Amino acid sequence: MLKKLFGIAPKQESDGSYSPSKLALKLATVDKTDFENVTYTKYQGNQSKILVIFTEQKNMKMQNGKLFSTGNHPVEALLPMLHLKNAGFDFDIVTPTGKPVVFEMWAFPEKDEQVKAIYNEYKARFEQPKSLQDFVDNSLTDSESYAAVFVPGGHGAMLGIPDDVNVGKVLHWANDNDLYTISLCHGPGALLATALDDQAFLYAGYNMAVFPDSVDAMTPKIGYLPGKMPSGLSEELKSLGVNLMNTKSDETVCLDRKLITGASPLAANGLGKLAAETLLAALK
C-alpha cells in the first residue's frame, strides 16, 4: 500500500505482468528524445541493407516469480534506425520465428514526432517481420547486400535471443564477411549466442558498452523491475573476456573493430550517429 501511495509500485498489466511504476517512468523514460537530425551524405552503394534482430517475447520472469512486461526498448531501436535511415540504409526486420516485434510501449516517447514517424513507417514490418530462421536458410549467401546487423536493446533482448543458434550463425556470418554488428543496453546479450554449440566466444578481448548489472540490481527499489533479474549480463560478458567501458547507465558508446555498442537508452542517439558515420566511412 505504501509503495502505491508513493508511486513506486510496479503497475500490473491485464496479462498479470508488471510494467514500471509511476516514479520509475518519470525517472527513466522521456516524452521527447535527444535525437539529432543530422544531415548525412546518403550511402548509394549495394550494401544498403541492415538486418535488425528484434525480440518477439514480452514477459521476463524475475527471481521472485513476477513477470516484467518488456520487449525491445523503442528509443534504443528507433533512434539508431533514424540515423541509419537518414544515412541511406534500409532494414530487414526479423524476429526468431517471424512473430510480431514486441516493444516496451510504456517507454515510447509520445511527443517525439521523428520517432513516431519512423515507427509508423515500419509498423507493418514490425507487425509482420521476416523469420530469422528463413534468413539463415536463404540469405547467408547474400552478404554483398548487407552493411550490418543491429540488435536493439530492452530487457526483452535477453529472452531467447542469447540462446538462439540462428543468432549465433548470423553474428559469425557478419564477422566472417566484415559486416558491422551494432547493439546497445541489454542487446549485447545476443553476442553470447556466438559461444553456443561449444564455439569460442567471438568477442573475447573486445571493448564494449553494456547496461550494468549493478544498475539492474537497484531498479526494483523504485519499481522499474518487479523483482531481481533472473540473470545478469555485463558480468557474464566480463567473465568471457569483454572489457567493459562503462559502469553507469549513461551515454557511453564504443567502437572496437566491427562492433559498435552503447550503454543505455541515453546512448541511443550517440550510437546511431556513430553507426551511421562509421558505415558511411567504411563503405566509401
Side-chain angles (χ1 to χ4, degrees), residues 170-189:
V170 165
L171 294 176
H172 278 285
W173 164 77
N175 184 70
D176 293 344
N177 289 279
D178 288 327
L179 310 184
Y180 282 85
T181 297
I182 306 162
S183 193
L184 74 165
C185 203
H186 293 86

Side-chain angles (χ1 to χ4, degrees), residues 19-55:
S19 59
S21 68
K22 291 180 180 179
L23 177 63
L25 290 175
K26 185 175 181 179
L27 294 174
T29 66
V30 294
D31 287 334
K32 189 171 171 45
T33 73
D34 61 347
F35 171 66
E36 295 176 65
N37 196 7
V38 179
T39 300
Y40 299 100
T41 301
K42 289 183 182 289
Y43 176 71
Q44 302 197 8
N46 294 327
Q47 290 180 262
S48 60
K49 293 183 182 180
I50 294 174
L51 179 71
V52 191
I53 303 176
F54 282 95
T55 187

